[in-house]
Amino acid sequence: MNNSNTLTSEQITSDLLPQKFGSRGMIWTGILVLICAIGAYAYYRQLRYGLVVTNMRDYVSWGIYISNFVFFVAISLVGSLITAILRLADVHWATPLTRIAEIIAVSAIVFASLIIIVDMGRPERFYNLLLHGRLQSPIIWDVVVISTYFLISLLLLYFPLLPDLKIMINFKEKTGNALHKLYRFQGSFWKGTAEQFKISEKSINILCIIIIPVAFCIHTVTSWLFATTYRPGWDSTNFGAYFISGAFLVGSGAVVVAMYVFRRYYHLEKYITELHFEKMGKVVVLLALLYLYFNVNEYLVPAFKMKKPEEAHLDELFTGEYAPLFWFAIMIGMIIPIFILIFKKGRKPLPMFIAGIMVVVGAWFKRYLIVTPTLLHPFLPMHDVPTSYHHYFPSWEEWAIAMGSLAGALLVITFFARIYPIIPIHETIIENEKPAHQE
Amino acid sequence: MKPLLKMKNQHIRNSILLAICLFISGLSLRAQDTAKAEAGEPSVALRYFIKNNSEHYLIVRSNIKVGKKTQRLPNQVIKVFLDSAGPENLLLKTTTDDQGEAKVYVPVERAEKWNASAKHNFIGVLEASSLEDERSAELEITRAKIEMDTITEDGVRSIIVKVSYLEGADWKPAADVEMRLGVSRSGGILSAGTEESYTTDSTGSVTVEFKRDSLPGDDKGNFVLMAKVEDNDTYGNLLVETVVPWGVPVVYNTTFFDQRTLWTTRFKTPFWLLFMAYTIVIIVWGTVIYLITQIVKIGKLSKSEPN
């Protein structure tokens, strides 16, 4: 916080209590609901007419949906980074960002699960995956680890929320009757006793420890969905680390964007300060450099050898059909943000926000590039297939569903910020009461 | 002088006019030819088959020649006659399939006519369409048979194939008939000896020493020997098959999928994977369940302790 000890508990509480949507909030929510509705209609069409409404065919059977899935899984990892890793490292400046990171993680993991079901032609047969799934398959590992990560993230969101629920219960006139009932249902048992705090602290510490290996598992397993398939571009032993470094980067980018938006919209300048942007900027630039390093490994080493089956795939990325998108993703997703954030002036809120947007957009296209071009370059040549099989561009239904899922994730975050304090009230008060030298 | 000049001018005019007319008509003819060539030239082709001396049939094919390339013409109506075109000799009126082919058997009611002669003439007529006239093709065949026998002398296995043709009421040896002889393998014929093909001698026979030792057969060591005469101008296509126990019995390794490996069914998961997966799941979910009990515990504390 900017001005330690200058804020009273009452003021902090008043500032951080959830606020009603203003006109901009209503417009924002309305747009998201509209995009979701279009996505829902497109999904209705997919259920009605089958996967033929997509442009996925025999070769590109994983298209924009799986790209989106990988993107969501990646972004969800930020919960473990900001909340768990920084907490265990005793880094206190990240306290106001923990809830933002956690809600991004929870909403992303929910939509990762949903989009994978959308990718199934017959979603009503999903239960067969549980009934007849093979433990040898990375797909089953993914199902197990995603559900586990979701539950752990939910718990990590819930435990620190308990003291804040008690505070909000006391502000019935401000929060309204319906929300008051919800808060009471969720946290009326929290009295704030020493014993309760002790249990809660211990539980949070356990969660912080356990979420790190689970988070690493979730994205490593997702990377293995590709790496265990023998194909140009995926046949790599480096994929787990490559995916995790990219995940931390996009998650941090998303947190930076959310920090800027919440700070500006809810006037939280006293709580999300320039110092937070400065620190997060350093985190993002470090992660961007790390991810760039893995990218160099992933592309330079195969390009140096230029094995025949890899050649067509790499040519397509470097100079072919996908070259504009590839270089866009590399520049926007890594290199330009590095150049912005490496300078102190670049780590101010607005440049950080722009760099964050770049990181997130670049990361989305990067996932698309990991999935699609490889599928268009199988080891066996494509013979006697319709011309359309040689190319892939998502149909409007695929775009609508993918954008609908992104809007859905943003909607969850928006509603969460409307119902709960996006910055932990109780922890902020405690941090504020600490003497300056302890901070 | 003037009328002469006038006549000369008229002659030149007429010559130019004639040249233009010839040029235009030439162009027109050329255009017609091009259009016809682009539309293609339909045709019908007939092939006669005898399989194991019991099944004999015709394959009729509707084709279209576009440029230098002959393609199949699907869904065409073709009439097939025996010996001469007429309703009393009609074998079948059929429509070719998507591949432009149809199979035609000699029906029972034409058996008497079929048996009455050793030589027959098949006539295939591709029905006229709005674009093209009727097209026809003929195929003359002499009735023939092909027989296969095997002998083993001093451990040496041989195959004897005999081709005969019908002359009057007698079967005569068919000399100089080229055939492929060997083991049926992957849709083709693996030659039984060292030659790609063999030709019958004056007795209508071919004898080939079987030199394919240790050839995999079925689980009892059986495989199919096959002799095939293809597109013979006189006899058509003849095929005879026989099963011999000359191969090595192949017992498929059914234990491959009985092992506990990464590629087997879920009931054959490797123990190390089961151990690792369940250990991780138990530790993580045990912790999650423990944490949920902590929430319950916090709830209970609220009842026991004062605020």
Side-chain angles (χ1 to χ4, degrees), chain B residues 118-155:
Chain B
K119 288 186 177 180
H120 286 289
N121 190 32
F122 293 105
I123 303 157
V125 179
L126 182 65
E127 280 203 341
S129 70
S130 56
L131 291 171
E132 296 290 345
D133 298 334
E134 191 178 270
R135 306 290 165 130
S136 67
E138 292 189 19
L139 175 71
E140 190 181 282
I141 58 104
T142 299
R143 287 170 61 191
K145 65 178 180 181
I146 184 167
E147 294 159 306
M148 182 188 281
D149 198 8
T150 57
I151 51 167
T152 306
E153 281 179 354
D154 301 328

Side-chain angles (χ1 to χ4, degrees), chain A residues 18-92:
Chain A
Q19 298 169 29
K20 285 183 181 170
F21 289 145
S23 57
R24 279 185 297 171
M26 293 299 275
I27 292 166
W28 166 252
T29 310
I31 291 168
L32 292 179
V33 169
L34 181 68
I35 296 170
C36 286
I38 295 168
Y41 173 68
Y43 186 52
Y44 156 74
R45 279 182 53 80
Q46 185 180 301
L47 287 176
R48 172 78 180 78
Y49 300 107
L51 276 172
V52 74
V53 302
T54 72
N55 279 341
M56 289 186 286
R57 294 293 181 265
D58 286 29
Y59 287 95
V60 179
S61 52
W62 287 358
I64 198 174
Y65 296 154
I66 298 295
S67 317
N68 218 21
F69 163 73
V70 179
F71 174 79
F72 276 131
V73 173
I75 217 165
S76 73
L77 248 67
V78 74
S80 70
L81 174 72
I82 303 287
T83 313
I85 297 176
L86 295 184
R87 186 187 178 100
L88 291 175
D90 215 16
V91 175
H92 291 285

Side-chain angles (χ1 to χ4, degrees), chain B residues 208-224:
Chain B
V208 175
E209 190 182 325
F210 186 77
K211 291 186 174 177
R212 300 281 178 187
D213 291 334
S214 311
L215 208 60
D218 62 11
D219 56 344
K220 289 174 184 152
N222 292 331
F223 55 64
V224 177

